[in-house]
Amino acid sequence: MKKVITYGTFDLLHKGHIRLLKRAKTFGDYLTVCVSTDEFNALKGKKAYTSFEDRKYILESIRYVDEVIPETSWDQKISDVVENDIDVFVMGDDWQGKFDFLMDYCQVVYLPRTEGISSTKIKRDLGMNH
């Protein structure tokens, strides 16, 4: 079985998120999604509108997602890949090159973002800060 992993906050779930998950799943048989916890978001200076537990619950209901695990630090990616026998690491291309260090452990793929949509844009359109 070929295993894939991706990471994100997945706040204010939108079409771009679903497209990323759908495309990530095409790289293997089993997709693990690692979701930033509220505590980790605070360390990054971010605040999600939706709580970690609710974001996890929503992601678990998406047919492309096989497992959801918490992201609690920047440093856990290598151990996540090794401990979960990951074959392919997938991220949006706004992170291009940032995770190339994982190439020693698995294939690294950067996917193009969906044009015209992002959680940041939704928050801005709604007049929310962050």
Side-chain angles (χ1 to χ4, degrees):
M1 175 170 34
K2 196 168 184 185
K3 292 184 169 186
V4 181
I5 196 166
T6 192
Y7 288 74
T9 300
F10 296 97
D11 193 25
L12 302 177
L13 200 69
H14 54 71
K15 178 181 178 179
H17 290 132
I18 301 302
R19 285 192 70 231
L20 173 73
L21 297 170
K22 182 178 182 178
R23 290 181 296 164
K25 182 69 177 240
T26 67
F27 287 90
D29 309 299
Y30 190 90
L31 177 60
T32 299
V33 178
C34 198
V35 181
S36 300
T37 62
D38 297 330
E39 296 78 14
F40 183 46
N41 276 335
L43 289 174
K44 295 189 285 184
K46 293 174 71 176
K47 180 168 180 14
Y49 177 79
T50 310
S51 72
F52 167 76
E53 286 301 325
D54 286 354
R55 289 180 282 125
K56 182 177 184 289
Y57 179 83
I58 291 165
L59 285 163
E60 287 171 338
S61 73
I62 297 170
R63 68 179 174 206
Y64 311 112
V65 177
D66 295 294
E67 180 180 17
V68 178
I69 61 176
E71 180 183 27
T72 59
S73 77
W74 288 112
D75 303 326
Q76 76 184 68
K77 288 178 179 65
I78 291 173
S79 60
D80 286 347
V81 166
V82 171
E83 291 168 15
N84 292 287
D85 298 315
I86 298 300
D87 299 293
V88 185
F89 173 92
V90 175
M91 284 296 281
D93 64 1
D94 51 325
W95 291 93
Q96 186 76 42
K98 298 265 192 321
F99 300 108
D100 288 356
F101 65 90
L102 289 171
M103 289 179 182
D104 291 341
Y105 304 91
C106 65
Q107 179 184 359
V108 176
V109 176
Y110 298 100
L111 296 174
R113 290 179 59 97
T114 302
E115 297 274 332
I117 187 73
S118 71
S119 296
T120 302
K121 180 184 181 322
I122 292 170
K123 288 178 180 181
R124 190 173 48 246
D125 291 349
L126 293 175
M128 299 167 64
N129 294 334
H130 297 92

